[in-house]
Amino acid sequence: MNFRSPSYHDSPQTPRRPSRPSFSSGLSFSISTAEQGQNVRDRAHNAAHQIEDEIEEIKRYEDFTTIGSAQFPLTKFISGKSGLFYSDWVQDAAREEARRRARRRENEGVSRRNGGIGWRRRLMESYEAGQAWLVVTLIGAAIGLNAAFLNIVTEWLSDVKLGYCCDEWHPWTSLSPINYVIYIIFSLLFALVSATLVRCFAPYAAGSGISEIKCIIAGFVMKGFLGFWTLLIKSIGLPLSIASGLSVGKEGPSVHYAVCTGNVISRLFEKYKRNAAKTREILTASPSSVRVSVQLTAFKEMSSHFPLKTLWRSYFCALVATAVLAAMNPFRTGQLVMFQVKYDRSWHFFEIIFFIVIGVFGGLYGAFVMKWNLRAQAFRKRYLTRYALLEASILAAATAIVCYPNMFLRIDMTESMKILFLECEGGHDYDGLCEHRWSMVISLAIATTLRIFLVIISYGCKVPAGIFVPSMAIGASFGRMVGILVQALHEAMPDSRFFASCEPDVPCITPGTYAFLGAGAALSGIMHITVSVVVIMFELTGALTYILPTMIVVGVTKAVGDRFGKGGIADRMIWFNGFPFLDNKEEHTFGVPVSSVMTTDLTVLPTSGLDVKGIEKLLDRSRYQGFPVVEDLNAMILVGYIGRTELRYALERAKREQTVSPNARCFFGAAAPTTTNTRLASPSSSTTAPPPSVTFDTIPATSGQMSLDLSRFMDPTPLAVHPRQPLETVMELFKKMGPRVILVEYRGRLTGLVTVKDCLKYQFKVEASSAGNPRDESAAIAETQERLWALIQHAATWVADKASRVSRGRIKLAASPLVPRRSSAVASPGSPGQILEGTEEEDVGVELDER
C-alpha cells in the first residue's frame, strides 16, 4: 500500500503509542490543569474557548465569504470558479454541547460564589434561550416583506410591456405593430438588466438554487451562495427576468432568497455566527416562510436533517411571513392565494379516464423536459459560458417575438393560469375562451408546444429562474385543451350512456378543473413530488373540491415519471453539476466492503518529526481539508485527525507571537519528547532532554523554544470503520451524521479513508456499467452539439455581415469570431472552483468522464 507522506520527516526515535483521549475532551479542547489552582483552571478554560472561537470565526469567514470580497475576487465567481467546502455537522454539534456544559458550569460557579444568580444573568440566559424564536420572527417578517415586494413589482413590470394605466388601462398605441415592437424592446431590456446584475454583482443569483440548497443542508457550504449580495441581486433580478417574458418562474428562486435571508439575519447573532449546526436549523426553517407547502417539501427532501424543533420553528416562521404578506395584500384581493378559484360543481367518475390522460401527460412532460434541458445545459456550459448576457438577451427577444401573437403566451404566466382555471359561467371569458372552441383548442395546443420548447432552452440561463410556474402554465394550457375537447364530446353525444351521470340542463364538464389538474400534473412530473404538489395546488387556488382527482392525477404522473428515471429536475441538476451529494431517499445494494472504495494513497502527519517550515510547505502544496495523524510512518497507528483550518491557525498564531522559529519541531499528543511542565530545561538535563514543548498557554514562558505542541487542535477520536464494513453502512453514516471524512483502520492501523466523493464515484461506475456503455451516445451528442455551434456561428457571421453592409461599416457586431469556452469535467488542481472535502490534492473534481 503506497502512503504519500512528506519527505521531511527526519524524526528522532519512534515514541510510544499515546493514549487517545475521550471524544468530548478532544472537541472541547480542554486542558488538564488538575494540580493548579482554581484561578489557573479558569484562565486555561477561558483561553481554550478563546482559541476555539477564533478558529470558528475563521471557518465561518472562509465558508460564507460574500461575492466581491478581497479573499475571492469577483472575477473568480464570474468565471464559475466558486468554492464549495464540507462542514462537519458531528463536530459542530459536539462543540455546541461542550459550550452548553461550560456555560452550565460557569453558572454553577457564579451561584456558589454569590449565593445565587442575579437578575442580569437571568435576563441574559432568557435572551440566549429565546434567541432562536427572535431570529425566526425576524426572518419570517423579512421574507414576507420581500415576497410582497416581488409580487407587486413583477405584476407592474409585466403590465408595462402591454400598456399604461391612468384612469383606466390603455395600450401604448392604437397600432398593433408598434405595440409589438414596444413589447419586444421591454422584454429585451428587462432580461439584459437582470443578466447584467447577476454577472456583475452576484453570479450565484442565477438559476433556481434549490439543488445547491439541498447540498448546503447536507453539509456543503458554497462561498457567497447565501450572502447578502446574492440576496439583493436575486430580489432585484427575479422580477426583471419574469417580466422579460422568459419561460422562468419565481417559486424556486423564492426558496433561494428565503434561505439567503435566513443566513444573513442569523449571522447578526453570535450564537449562529459561530456554529454551523445551529445555522443549518435556521436555513432549514427559512424556506417554509415562502409557503407551508414548501415546509412539507423541505421535510421530504431533508428528512434526515429535520428535527422536530426545526419543524415547529418552520411553522412559526411561515406564520409570521404569512401575517406580513396578508398585511401587505400584494394580490389586491384580500386573499393569500394566487388564484381565487371556486368550483361549485363536483366531478363525475367517468372523468377519471381523462384525469389519467392528464397524469400521463405530466409524467411524459417531466421526463422529456429533464432529458432535453440537461442537454441544453451541457451545450450552454460548453459553448455559451462567455456569452451569458448575449444569450439572455437573444432568448428574451426571441421569446417575445414568438409569444406575442398567442394570447396565452403574451400575458404573464400567472395571469394566464388564472384565466385558464376559471369556469365559463359567471362572465369569466377571456378573448372568447368559452365561445370560439376550436380556435381556442388550436391556440392552446400551440401555447403548450411552444412553452415546452422555451422552458427547455430558457431554464438554466444566467438570470434568476425557476421552473415551477412555467411547468404549471404548460400543464394548465394542456388541461384546458383536454377539458374543452371533453366538453365538446359531451355536447356532441349528450344521450350517450358514457355521460349518463350528467344532470340535464346543467353544465356537466368544467374545463377549468382540467386546467387545474394539468398544472398539478406538470409540476409533479418535473419535480417528482406528490404530497407537496397536492398542498401547493390547494394553497395557490383554494379549490378543495378536487382533492381525490388531484391525488389520482399526481399518482399517475409519478408512476409514469418513475419509468424514465428517479429524481426530479433538482436531483438531476445535482448530478449534472457534480455536487458530492448523497440522496437520503435512495437505497443502494452494492455488496462490497468499504475497502473497495476507500482512498489508500494518503498524505499523513506523524506525531513527531515535522517542523513548522515543513508543515507550511505541506499546506501550500496540497488542497486537503484535513490530515490523518499517525504514530509513525511505518506502523501507521492511527492517533487522530487534524483539520486544515486548525493546523493553519496554530502555525499562524505561533508566527504572529514570534515565539517559534521555522525549524521548531511540531508534535501531536503525548508523543512529544518533552516533560509535563513547560519551563525551560535545566542545564543539567540539557544534554539528554530535547527542548520543551510550546503551548499557547505558555507562550511568554517558552519564547524562542524549538518545539510546538499541536495536540489540542487534533481530533483524537475521528470516525473510523473496519475495512470490511459494508459500503451501504458507510453511506448511511455520511447521510445521517454528515462527517467530512471517515477513516478506515484495522486493529488500530490506518489503511485508508473514504469521502462522499469516493462513494459517488463508485455509485456512478456501477450505474454506468449496469446501463451499458454510454460513450457512443455521448459521442453522437457531442457531434450534434458541434454542428449546432457551427450553425450558430454561421448565423452570427451572416447577421454581422448584413449589419456592416447596411451601416456601411459603421456597425460591427462581431469584431472577433465566437470561440467556445469549453469547461473541463475536472477542475485543475488548486483552482477556487474545486470541491474540497478533506482528501483533495490533484483529483479535485467530482464529475466523471461518463457524464
Side-chain angles (χ1 to χ4, degrees), residues 186-227:
F186 271 116
S187 299
L188 178 62
L189 179 64
F190 291 158
L192 180 61
V193 173
S194 179
T196 302
L197 290 174
V198 169
R199 176 168 181 173
C200 294
F201 297 100
Y204 273 142
S208 172
I210 293 181
S211 304
E212 292 83 355
I213 290 173
K214 290 181 66 175
C215 295
I216 289 174
I217 297 299
F220 298 94
V221 181
M222 303 179 68
K223 295 182 178 180
F225 190 82
L226 301 178

Short mmCIF file of all heavy atoms in Angstrom, two decimals, residues 186-227:
data_model
loop_
_atom_site.label_atom_id
_atom_site.label_comp_id
_atom_site.label_asym_id
_atom_site.label_seq_id
_atom_site.Cartn_x
_atom_site.Cartn_y
_atom_site.Cartn_z
N PHE A 186 -39.12 46.12 -24.38
CA PHE A 186 -39.19 45.98 -22.93
C PHE A 186 -38.68 44.61 -22.49
O PHE A 186 -37.94 44.49 -21.49
CB PHE A 186 -40.62 46.18 -22.45
CG PHE A 186 -40.96 47.62 -22.14
CD1 PHE A 186 -41.93 48.30 -22.86
CD2 PHE A 186 -40.30 48.29 -21.12
CE1 PHE A 186 -42.24 49.62 -22.58
CE2 PHE A 186 -40.61 49.62 -20.83
CZ PHE A 186 -41.58 50.29 -21.57
N SER A 187 -39.06 43.56 -23.20
CA SER A 187 -38.60 42.22 -22.84
C SER A 187 -37.09 42.13 -22.91
O SER A 187 -36.43 41.58 -22.01
CB SER A 187 -39.25 41.19 -23.77
OG SER A 187 -40.65 41.20 -23.66
N LEU A 188 -36.53 42.65 -23.99
CA LEU A 188 -35.07 42.64 -24.16
C LEU A 188 -34.38 43.45 -23.06
O LEU A 188 -33.37 43.02 -22.49
CB LEU A 188 -34.72 43.20 -25.54
CG LEU A 188 -33.23 43.32 -25.88
CD1 LEU A 188 -32.57 41.95 -25.88
CD2 LEU A 188 -33.06 43.99 -27.24
N LEU A 189 -34.93 44.60 -22.73
CA LEU A 189 -34.33 45.46 -21.72
C LEU A 189 -34.35 44.81 -20.35
O LEU A 189 -33.34 44.81 -19.62
CB LEU A 189 -35.06 46.80 -21.69
CG LEU A 189 -34.57 47.83 -20.66
CD1 LEU A 189 -33.13 48.24 -20.97
CD2 LEU A 189 -35.48 49.05 -20.65
N PHE A 190 -35.48 44.22 -19.96
CA PHE A 190 -35.59 43.58 -18.65
C PHE A 190 -34.60 42.42 -18.51
O PHE A 190 -33.93 42.27 -17.49
CB PHE A 190 -37.01 43.08 -18.42
CG PHE A 190 -38.03 44.18 -18.27
CD1 PHE A 190 -39.38 43.94 -18.50
CD2 PHE A 190 -37.64 45.46 -17.90
CE1 PHE A 190 -40.31 44.94 -18.36
CE2 PHE A 190 -38.58 46.47 -17.76
CZ PHE A 190 -39.91 46.22 -17.99
N ALA A 191 -34.51 41.59 -19.55
CA ALA A 191 -33.60 40.45 -19.48
C ALA A 191 -32.15 40.91 -19.43
O ALA A 191 -31.32 40.33 -18.70
CB ALA A 191 -33.83 39.53 -20.68
N LEU A 192 -31.82 41.93 -20.20
CA LEU A 192 -30.43 42.43 -20.22
C LEU A 192 -30.03 43.00 -18.86
O LEU A 192 -28.93 42.74 -18.36
CB LEU A 192 -30.29 43.50 -21.31
CG LEU A 192 -28.90 44.13 -21.47
CD1 LEU A 192 -27.87 43.07 -21.83
CD2 LEU A 192 -28.93 45.23 -22.52
N VAL A 193 -30.92 43.76 -18.24
CA VAL A 193 -30.61 44.33 -16.93
C VAL A 193 -30.46 43.23 -15.89
O VAL A 193 -29.52 43.24 -15.07
CB VAL A 193 -31.71 45.32 -16.51
CG1 VAL A 193 -31.49 45.79 -15.08
CG2 VAL A 193 -31.73 46.52 -17.45
N SER A 194 -31.35 42.24 -15.92
CA SER A 194 -31.27 41.14 -14.96
C SER A 194 -29.97 40.36 -15.12
O SER A 194 -29.28 40.07 -14.13
CB SER A 194 -32.48 40.22 -15.12
OG SER A 194 -32.41 39.14 -14.22
N ALA A 195 -29.63 40.01 -16.35
CA ALA A 195 -28.40 39.25 -16.59
C ALA A 195 -27.16 40.06 -16.23
O ALA A 195 -26.17 39.51 -15.72
CB ALA A 195 -28.34 38.80 -18.04
N THR A 196 -27.20 41.37 -16.47
CA THR A 196 -26.05 42.22 -16.13
C THR A 196 -25.85 42.30 -14.62
O THR A 196 -24.72 42.22 -14.13
CB THR A 196 -26.25 43.63 -16.71
OG1 THR A 196 -26.43 43.54 -18.13
CG2 THR A 196 -25.05 44.51 -16.42
N LEU A 197 -26.93 42.45 -13.88
CA LEU A 197 -26.82 42.49 -12.42
C LEU A 197 -26.25 41.18 -11.88
O LEU A 197 -25.39 41.18 -10.99
CB LEU A 197 -28.20 42.75 -11.81
CG LEU A 197 -28.78 44.15 -12.00
CD1 LEU A 197 -30.20 44.21 -11.46
CD2 LEU A 197 -27.91 45.20 -11.32
N VAL A 198 -26.72 40.08 -12.43
CA VAL A 198 -26.23 38.78 -11.97
C VAL A 198 -24.75 38.63 -12.27
O VAL A 198 -23.95 38.20 -11.42
CB VAL A 198 -27.04 37.64 -12.62
CG1 VAL A 198 -26.38 36.30 -12.37
CG2 VAL A 198 -28.46 37.64 -12.06
N ARG A 199 -24.36 38.99 -13.47
CA ARG A 199 -22.96 38.79 -13.85
C ARG A 199 -22.02 39.72 -13.09
O ARG A 199 -20.93 39.32 -12.67
CB ARG A 199 -22.80 39.01 -15.35
CG ARG A 199 -21.35 38.93 -15.79
CD ARG A 199 -21.20 38.86 -17.27
NE ARG A 199 -19.80 38.75 -17.65
CZ ARG A 199 -19.38 38.54 -18.88
NH1 ARG A 199 -20.26 38.39 -19.85
NH2 ARG A 199 -18.10 38.45 -19.15
N CYS A 200 -22.42 40.94 -12.87
CA CYS A 200 -21.50 41.93 -12.29
C CYS A 200 -21.44 41.87 -10.77
O CYS A 200 -20.43 42.24 -10.18
CB CYS A 200 -21.91 43.33 -12.73
SG CYS A 200 -21.71 43.63 -14.50
N PHE A 201 -22.51 41.42 -10.12
CA PHE A 201 -22.57 41.52 -8.66
C PHE A 201 -22.75 40.19 -7.94
O PHE A 201 -22.19 40.02 -6.86
CB PHE A 201 -23.69 42.48 -8.24
CG PHE A 201 -23.49 43.88 -8.70
CD1 PHE A 201 -24.17 44.35 -9.82
CD2 PHE A 201 -22.63 44.73 -8.04
CE1 PHE A 201 -23.98 45.65 -10.27
CE2 PHE A 201 -22.45 46.04 -8.48
CZ PHE A 201 -23.12 46.50 -9.60
N ALA A 202 -23.51 39.27 -8.50
CA ALA A 202 -23.79 38.02 -7.76
C ALA A 202 -24.10 36.90 -8.74
O ALA A 202 -25.26 36.59 -9.00
CB ALA A 202 -24.96 38.22 -6.80
N PRO A 203 -23.08 36.27 -9.30
CA PRO A 203 -23.32 35.16 -10.23
C PRO A 203 -24.12 34.02 -9.62
O PRO A 203 -24.79 33.28 -10.34
CB PRO A 203 -21.90 34.70 -10.60
CG PRO A 203 -21.06 35.91 -10.40
CD PRO A 203 -21.65 36.63 -9.23
N TYR A 204 -24.05 33.84 -8.30
CA TYR A 204 -24.82 32.78 -7.66
C TYR A 204 -26.32 33.07 -7.66
O TYR A 204 -27.12 32.20 -7.32
CB TYR A 204 -24.35 32.58 -6.22
CG TYR A 204 -23.20 31.62 -6.09
CD1 TYR A 204 -22.19 31.85 -5.16
CD2 TYR A 204 -23.12 30.48 -6.87
CE1 TYR A 204 -21.13 30.98 -5.02
CE2 TYR A 204 -22.06 29.61 -6.75
CZ TYR A 204 -21.07 29.86 -5.82
OH TYR A 204 -20.03 28.98 -5.69
N ALA A 205 -26.72 34.30 -8.00
CA ALA A 205 -28.15 34.62 -8.05
C ALA A 205 -28.82 34.03 -9.28
O ALA A 205 -30.05 34.05 -9.37
CB ALA A 205 -28.34 36.14 -8.04
N ALA A 206 -28.07 33.51 -10.21
CA ALA A 206 -28.64 32.91 -11.41
C ALA A 206 -29.27 31.56 -11.07
O ALA A 206 -28.86 30.88 -10.14
CB ALA A 206 -27.57 32.74 -12.49
N GLY A 207 -30.28 31.20 -11.86
CA GLY A 207 -30.89 29.89 -11.71
C GLY A 207 -31.87 29.82 -10.56
O GLY A 207 -32.31 30.83 -10.00
N SER A 208 -32.21 28.60 -10.19
CA SER A 208 -33.19 28.36 -9.14
C SER A 208 -32.55 28.37 -7.76
O SER A 208 -32.98 29.08 -6.87
CB SER A 208 -33.92 27.04 -9.39
OG SER A 208 -34.73 26.70 -8.31
N GLY A 209 -31.53 27.54 -7.56
CA GLY A 209 -30.86 27.48 -6.28
C GLY A 209 -31.28 26.32 -5.40
O GLY A 209 -30.66 26.06 -4.37
N ILE A 210 -32.32 25.59 -5.79
CA ILE A 210 -32.81 24.50 -4.94
C ILE A 210 -31.78 23.38 -4.87
O ILE A 210 -31.55 22.80 -3.79
CB ILE A 210 -34.15 23.99 -5.47
CG1 ILE A 210 -35.23 25.06 -5.30
CG2 ILE A 210 -34.57 22.72 -4.74
CD1 ILE A 210 -36.60 24.64 -5.75
N SER A 211 -31.13 23.06 -5.96
CA SER A 211 -30.14 21.99 -5.95
C SER A 211 -29.00 22.32 -4.99
O SER A 211 -28.57 21.47 -4.20
CB SER A 211 -29.58 21.78 -7.36
OG SER A 211 -30.62 21.50 -8.28
N GLU A 212 -28.50 23.54 -5.06
CA GLU A 212 -27.40 23.93 -4.19
C GLU A 212 -27.83 23.96 -2.73
O GLU A 212 -27.06 23.61 -1.83
CB GLU A 212 -26.86 25.29 -4.62
CG GLU A 212 -26.15 25.29 -5.96
CD GLU A 212 -27.12 25.41 -7.13
OE1 GLU A 212 -28.34 25.39 -6.90
OE2 GLU A 212 -26.64 25.53 -8.28
N ILE A 213 -29.06 24.39 -2.47
CA ILE A 213 -29.54 24.45 -1.08
C ILE A 213 -29.63 23.05 -0.49
O ILE A 213 -29.32 22.83 0.68
CB ILE A 213 -30.89 25.17 -1.02
CG1 ILE A 213 -30.69 26.66 -1.32
CG2 ILE A 213 -31.56 24.99 0.34
CD1 ILE A 213 -31.96 27.44 -1.45
N LYS A 214 -30.06 22.07 -1.29
CA LYS A 214 -30.09 20.70 -0.79
C LYS A 214 -28.69 20.24 -0.40
O LYS A 214 -28.52 19.56 0.62
CB LYS A 214 -30.66 19.78 -1.86
CG LYS A 214 -32.15 19.95 -2.11
CD LYS A 214 -32.66 18.98 -3.16
CE LYS A 214 -32.59 17.56 -2.69
NZ LYS A 214 -33.20 16.61 -3.64
N CYS A 215 -27.70 20.62 -1.17
CA CYS A 215 -26.33 20.24 -0.84
C CYS A 215 -25.85 20.98 0.41
O CYS A 215 -25.13 20.41 1.24
CB CYS A 215 -25.40 20.54 -2.02
SG CYS A 215 -25.72 19.57 -3.49
N ILE A 216 -26.24 22.24 0.57
CA ILE A 216 -25.83 23.00 1.74
C ILE A 216 -26.43 22.41 3.00
O ILE A 216 -25.76 22.27 4.03
CB ILE A 216 -26.23 24.48 1.57
CG1 ILE A 216 -25.36 25.14 0.49
CG2 ILE A 216 -26.09 25.24 2.88
CD1 ILE A 216 -25.78 26.54 0.14
N ILE A 217 -27.70 22.04 2.94
CA ILE A 217 -28.34 21.43 4.10
C ILE A 217 -27.66 20.09 4.42
O ILE A 217 -27.57 19.69 5.59
CB ILE A 217 -29.84 21.22 3.84
CG1 ILE A 217 -30.53 22.58 3.63
CG2 ILE A 217 -30.50 20.48 4.98
CD1 ILE A 217 -30.45 23.50 4.81
N ALA A 218 -27.17 19.41 3.40
CA ALA A 218 -26.50 18.13 3.62
C ALA A 218 -25.10 18.30 4.19
O ALA A 218 -24.50 17.33 4.63
CB ALA A 218 -26.41 17.34 2.31
N GLY A 219 -24.57 19.53 4.20
CA GLY A 219 -23.27 19.73 4.84
C GLY A 219 -22.27 20.50 4.02
O GLY A 219 -21.16 20.74 4.49
N PHE A 220 -22.59 20.90 2.80
CA PHE A 220 -21.64 21.62 1.96
C PHE A 220 -21.93 23.11 2.02
O PHE A 220 -23.09 23.53 2.08
CB PHE A 220 -21.70 21.14 0.52
CG PHE A 220 -21.33 19.70 0.37
CD1 PHE A 220 -22.30 18.72 0.38
CD2 PHE A 220 -20.01 19.32 0.26
CE1 PHE A 220 -21.96 17.38 0.27
CE2 PHE A 220 -19.66 18.00 0.15
CZ PHE A 220 -20.64 17.02 0.16
N VAL A 221 -20.90 23.90 2.02
CA VAL A 221 -21.04 25.35 2.10
C VAL A 221 -20.40 25.97 0.87
O VAL A 221 -19.21 25.79 0.63
CB VAL A 221 -20.36 25.91 3.38
CG1 VAL A 221 -20.54 27.41 3.45
CG2 VAL A 221 -20.96 25.24 4.61
N MET A 222 -21.21 26.65 0.09
CA MET A 222 -20.71 27.31 -1.11
C MET A 222 -20.49 28.78 -0.78
O MET A 222 -21.41 29.48 -0.37
CB MET A 222 -21.71 27.16 -2.24
CG MET A 222 -22.04 25.72 -2.57
SD MET A 222 -23.24 25.54 -3.90
CE MET A 222 -22.28 26.14 -5.28
N LYS A 223 -19.28 29.21 -0.97
CA LYS A 223 -18.92 30.58 -0.60
C LYS A 223 -19.72 31.59 -1.42
O LYS A 223 -19.70 31.56 -2.63
CB LYS A 223 -17.43 30.80 -0.82
CG LYS A 223 -16.56 29.95 0.09
CD LYS A 223 -15.10 30.26 -0.15
CE LYS A 223 -14.23 29.45 0.79
NZ LYS A 223 -12.81 29.73 0.58
N GLY A 224 -20.41 32.47 -0.73
CA GLY A 224 -21.16 33.53 -1.39
C GLY A 224 -22.55 33.14 -1.83
O GLY A 224 -23.32 34.01 -2.20
N PHE A 225 -22.88 31.86 -1.79
CA PHE A 225 -24.18 31.44 -2.31
C PHE A 225 -25.32 31.96 -1.45
O PHE A 225 -26.43 32.18 -1.96
CB PHE A 225 -24.24 29.91 -2.38
CG PHE A 225 -25.44 29.40 -3.13
CD1 PHE A 225 -25.44 29.34 -4.51
CD2 PHE A 225 -26.57 28.99 -2.45
CE1 PHE A 225 -26.55 28.88 -5.19
CE2 PHE A 225 -27.69 28.53 -3.12
CZ PHE A 225 -27.67 28.47 -4.50
N LEU A 226 -25.09 32.15 -0.16
CA LEU A 226 -26.14 32.64 0.74
C LEU A 226 -25.79 34.01 1.30
O LEU A 226 -26.28 34.39 2.35
CB LEU A 226 -26.34 31.64 1.91
CG LEU A 226 -26.72 30.22 1.51
CD1 LEU A 226 -26.85 29.35 2.75
CD2 LEU A 226 -28.01 30.20 0.71
N GLY A 227 -24.96 34.74 0.58
CA GLY A 227 -24.51 36.04 1.06
C GLY A 227 -25.50 37.15 0.78
O GLY A 227 -26.53 36.98 0.12
#
